[in-house]
Amino acid sequence: MADKNGYEWGTGRRKCSVARVRVCKGEGKIIINGRDYKEYFPTTRQQAAVVGPLKKIEAESTYDIFANISGGGLTGQSGALMMGLGRALIKLVPDKAALLRDTGFLSRDSRMVERKKPGKPGARKSFQFSKR
């Protein structure tokens, strides 16, 4: 159910990024942290991830999206935005929930950076082995 201003909310997470997404009826604007999404995400892969849920339900110019994203890098942020947008859209268009779920826009990607181990230079990398 939409709030008093007509917005539907969704929260998405990926790696260390968190996206709080507001969706309402409009003409298709996507504003992220006060900037246009094409300006915020420079690569086409990240831009495609952002508009993926909208394209899947064929509603690119039907809703306005406003998002606040924090933490992580741009790839994690675009993934978090994709998940938050999917969660908000299933509240607005419940009959498209199965389509969004089957495409993977609602599932959390639980992969995280592996921690560095003691005595090693990285998570898995080792120093050069010397036999003698």
Side-chain angles (χ1 to χ4, degrees):
M1 181 165 54
D3 66 1
K4 62 180 179 175
N5 297 323
Y7 289 108
E8 201 59 70
W9 289 82
T11 303
R13 293 179 190 85
R14 171 122 203 287
K15 294 187 177 182
C16 291
S17 302
V18 178
R20 294 185 326 250
V21 183
R22 290 183 307 169
V23 180
C24 68
K25 289 275 189 193
E27 64 267 358
K29 292 189 297 188
I30 302 176
I31 306 296
I32 301 167
N33 292 347
R35 294 162 47 190
D36 185 56
Y37 83 102
K38 289 188 178 180
E39 180 188 335
Y40 192 85
F41 293 117
T43 66
T44 55
R45 184 177 193 156
Q46 294 161 351
Q47 292 171 8
V50 170
V51 296
L54 291 170
K55 283 191 176 181
K56 198 62 178 174
I57 64 167
E58 298 167 355
E60 291 101 327
S61 58
T62 311
Y63 299 106
D64 286 344
I65 291 116
F66 303 95
N68 290 323
I69 309 176
S70 61
L74 290 177
T75 302
Q77 288 183 353
S78 65
L81 179 58
M82 179 179 69
M83 181 183 178
L85 180 56
R87 284 182 169 177
L89 285 174
I90 61 167
K91 295 175 188 171
L92 286 168
V93 192
D95 54 317
K96 302 279 186 173
L99 182 65
L100 289 170
R101 191 171 293 110
D102 292 341
T103 320
F105 293 124
L106 303 178
S107 34
R108 167 82 158 93
D109 189 355
S110 61
R111 295 177 294 171
M112 299 291 279
V113 176
E114 191 175 341
R115 76 175 199 86
K116 181 192 171 299
K117 313 303 187 304
K120 292 198 168 194
R124 297 190 176 211
K125 188 175 181 182
S126 296
F127 296 109
Q128 185 172 358
F129 178 72
S130 174
K131 210 176 248 188
R132 284 175 197 86

